[in-house]
Amino acid sequence: MSRPVLVFDSGVGGLSVVTALRQQVPGLPLAYVCDNAALPYGTKPDSWLLRRIVDVCVAAVAASDARVLVVACNTASTLALEALRERLAIPVVGTVPAIKPAARLSRSGVIALLATTATVTRPYTDRLIEEFAGHCTVARVAADPLVAQAERWLAGEPLDARVLAECLAPLAAIAKLDTVVLGCTHFPLLRESLASMAPGPVHWIDSGDAIARRVVQVVGEVSQSTVSSGAFLSWATAPDNPGLARAFSGFGFQPPKRLNEAS
Ligand code: DGL
C-alpha cells in the first residue's frame, strides 16, 4: 500500500473529515491519529496547545510514514498551521470554519459560527470573518460540551438531549438566522440530532467537502495500484479506551496503537 494521508484531531472529530475524503476519493489510503489524552483542545491555553500539537503531529507523521497531513481540527488549524508547515517536510492541509461558503449561501446575511471557545475567539477567525463575511452579521457561539457528546455518540453511548439543547439555545435568540457553520469537526457527527433540535429551518455547513477537494489537489488522482487494501492504521495518545476502538472500527480503522508524542 502506498503512503497514507494522515488525518489528525484531538479525538474522533476527524472521522467526519474521513467520511468526506472517502466520498470524494474512494480507496484513498488513510491513517488516523488522535490526541485523546489531551481532549478537549478547545478550552486549553494556546501556548501549551501549540507545542503539544506540533509534538503529536511530528511523532504521528513519523510513525505512519504519511505523505500528507490533514489537520482535521479547527481548534488546531486556527492556531498551529504555520508552525506545522515549518516543522514538517510533507504538505499540511488545514481545516478552518466554513465562513466563506456560509456567507455566500445565506440569504438573510445572518450566520452563526458554532465552534469551540478557542476557535470562536481566535484572531484567525476574526480575519476569516472580516475577509469573507464583512457584509454579514456573524454570531459566535461556543459549544464545547458538544465535543464530549460526539465522543460518546461514536462510542455507542446515548446523547444527552439536555446538553444539546443548552448548546443550541443561543441560536434561538438570533433574529433572521438562516445558516450555521459547524466550526468544529466533532459537530457534523451530530448533524442529524442538531438539525432535529434547531430553532428553525437553517443550513448547516461544515468544511469536510472543501478539505477533501484540497486533498485531491495535493495528492492527485489515486491510481488503482495504490488503492487501500483496507488495513487502516490508527494511533492515539490514550489508546486504552474501548469506546475509541469502537468508534474507529465503525470507520474501518484498526484499534489504535499508542503514540509517544515526546519531541
Ligand atoms: N474537533 C476539534 C475542532 O475541530 C476540537 C475538539 C476539542 O475541543 O478538542 O475544533
Side-chain angles (χ1 to χ4, degrees), residues 32 34 36 233-241 244-246 248 253-259:
Y32 194 94
C34 71
N36 59 328
L233 299 180
S234 71
W235 285 265
T237 49
D240 302 327
N241 174 337
L244 188 67
R246 180 172 172 165
F248 282 0
F253 287 93
Q254 295 189 356
K257 298 189 226 182
R258 180 172 302 280
L259 182 81

Side-chain angles (χ1 to χ4, degrees), residues 9-11 13-14 38-43 72-76 95 116 119 144 147 183-186:
D9 183 39
S10 55
L39 184 84
Y41 273 0
T43 49
C73 175
N74 295 262
T75 306
T95 305
T116 63
T119 297
D144 299 285
V147 173
C184 168
T185 52
H186 279 75

Side-chain angles (χ1 to χ4, degrees), residues 64-250:
S64 61
D65 190 27
R67 61 174 158 163
V68 177
L69 172 67
V70 177
V71 183
C73 175
N74 295 262
T75 306
S77 297
T78 51
L79 178 69
L81 277 182
E82 214 178 307
L84 286 168
R85 287 181 177 137
E86 264 169 32
R87 190 66 192 274
L88 292 167
I90 59 170
V92 178
V93 176
T95 305
V96 298
I99 296 289
K100 187 177 172 181
R104 279 205 194 123
L105 185 71
S106 175
R107 290 278 152 265
S108 66
V110 181
I111 295 167
L113 168 61
L114 198 67
T116 63
T117 297
T119 297
V120 298
T121 53
R122 288 254 156 79
Y124 194 113
T125 303
D126 296 342
R127 290 196 294 275
L128 266 183
I129 292 172
E130 269 163 38
E131 190 172 348
F132 300 114
H135 57 293
C136 297
T137 302
V138 182
R140 304 175 194 218
V141 179
D144 299 285
L146 293 182
V147 173
Q149 289 298 309
E151 293 285 326
R152 286 171 59 112
W153 182 239
L154 260 61
E157 293 168 40
L159 294 174
D160 184 335
R162 239 185 358 193
V163 173
L164 266 63
E166 274 167 22
C167 288
L168 293 179
L171 301 183
I174 305 170
K176 296 192 187 154
L177 175 72
D178 70 354
T179 307
V180 179
V181 176
L182 297 173
C184 168
T185 52
H186 279 75
F187 300 172
L189 299 167
L190 304 174
R191 187 192 304 262
E192 261 176 50
S193 304
L194 295 176
S196 73
M197 297 175 78
V202 291
H203 300 291
W204 301 87
I205 305 217
D206 65 68
S207 310
D209 287 341
I211 300 159
R213 282 196 299 276
R214 180 73 195 123
V215 170
V216 172
Q217 285 173 349
V218 172
V219 300
E221 294 297 315
V222 178
S223 75
Q224 281 311 305
S225 61
T226 59
V227 159
S228 163
S229 59
F232 295 109
L233 299 180
S234 71
W235 285 265
T237 49
D240 302 327
N241 174 337
L244 188 67
R246 180 172 172 165
F248 282 0
S249 101

Side-chain angles (χ1 to χ4, degrees), residues 23-47:
Q23 270 162 9
Q24 282 195 41
V25 202
L28 180 69
L30 291 173
Y32 194 94
V33 59
C34 71
D35 185 14
N36 59 328
L39 184 84
Y41 273 0
T43 49
K44 301 253 179 347
D46 284 4
S47 54

